[in-house]
Amino acid sequence: MIFSRTYRYNSSMPAEAIKGRLIGKHVKVHNMDFEVSEKDRMLRIIPHAEQETNIKTLPITHVELKGKGDKTQVVINSKMRKIDSGGPMLIVIFCTFMLIAAIGFYIFGQQEYLNFTYTLAGISLAIFVIFWMRMEAGYFDYVRKLRDYIKKESVVN
């Protein structure tokens, strides 16, 4: 999916030590509380957005720890909450259809529709660029900060 991110790296800490440092902790990112818990031998970082009144697109992050000898491979998967995914997907689909329509008008339309074609393509790209910049400042920033927190906690001091 377009909004999912996977990040892999190796840590010199054992998996149990990393779990001990992370489980039960709370992380604050942009004044939003995220809790680390364990479920099915996998760590989950979920947002506490019960009292949140603003509309935010938040990630659910799964951390898988694979012991490989004296090292641990850490695999971080972040995906959008299902409740949050509707709006962003609608915007992406809307922009895609506008761009397809612009391409269709360009290929099959006549010369008199050329200005309309460029306008339609420009509006589609402008909406998508603004949307993506907002996602980078919101959702993807949460993902980056959670990843950095996990990486910081899984480094030997």
Side-chain angles (χ1 to χ4, degrees):
M1 182 174 217
I2 189 171
F3 302 112
S4 297
R5 295 291 181 260
T6 300
Y7 184 70
R8 291 180 175 82
Y9 67 94
N10 290 319
S11 173
S12 57
M13 286 181 69
E16 292 303 317
I18 295 172
K19 281 184 183 181
R21 282 186 168 191
L22 292 173
I23 293 177
K25 300 285 181 21
H26 288 262
V27 182
K28 284 267 194 196
V29 178
H30 298 296
N31 294 323
M32 178 66 64
D33 183 45
F34 289 83
E35 182 181 5
V36 182
S37 62
E38 184 175 19
K39 184 177 180 182
D40 300 330
R41 296 178 31 203
M42 186 179 299
L43 300 179
R44 293 173 18 134
I45 303 175
I46 56 173
H48 287 280
E50 294 85 19
Q51 284 79 29
E52 190 62 38
T53 57
N54 297 334
I55 298 174
K56 294 188 178 189
T57 305
L58 300 169
I60 292 179
T61 304
H62 294 103
V63 181
E64 190 175 351
L65 304 170
K66 299 177 184 177
K68 293 189 173 193
D70 58 344
K71 293 188 182 269
T72 302
Q73 182 183 30
V74 181
V75 181
I76 304 169
N77 292 312
S78 293
K79 63 180 180 176
M80 196 176 289
R81 297 185 311 170
K82 288 185 181 184
I83 195 169
D84 295 337
S85 64
M89 284 306 294
L90 281 175
I91 293 172
V92 169
I93 291 169
F94 177 73
C95 290
T96 303
F97 280 139
M98 281 181 66
L99 201 55
I100 290 170
I103 292 169
F105 274 117
Y106 183 77
I107 293 172
F108 300 114
Q110 297 161 353
Q111 191 68 21
E112 60 198 44
Y113 298 120
L114 209 51
N115 285 342
F116 174 73
T117 301
Y118 292 144
T119 304
L120 191 62
I123 290 171
S124 170
L125 292 175
I127 290 171
F128 187 77
V129 166
I130 291 168
F131 162 74
W132 200 259
M133 287 180 359
R134 291 198 51 156
M135 289 295 286
E136 283 292 330
Y139 171 76
F140 290 120
D141 195 40
Y142 285 115
V143 170
R144 280 189 298 272
K145 290 198 168 131
L146 289 172
R147 179 194 67 203
D148 292 344
Y149 171 76
I150 294 166
K151 195 168 184 179
K152 182 184 77 161
E153 290 297 318
S154 64
V155 175
V156 177
N157 292 338

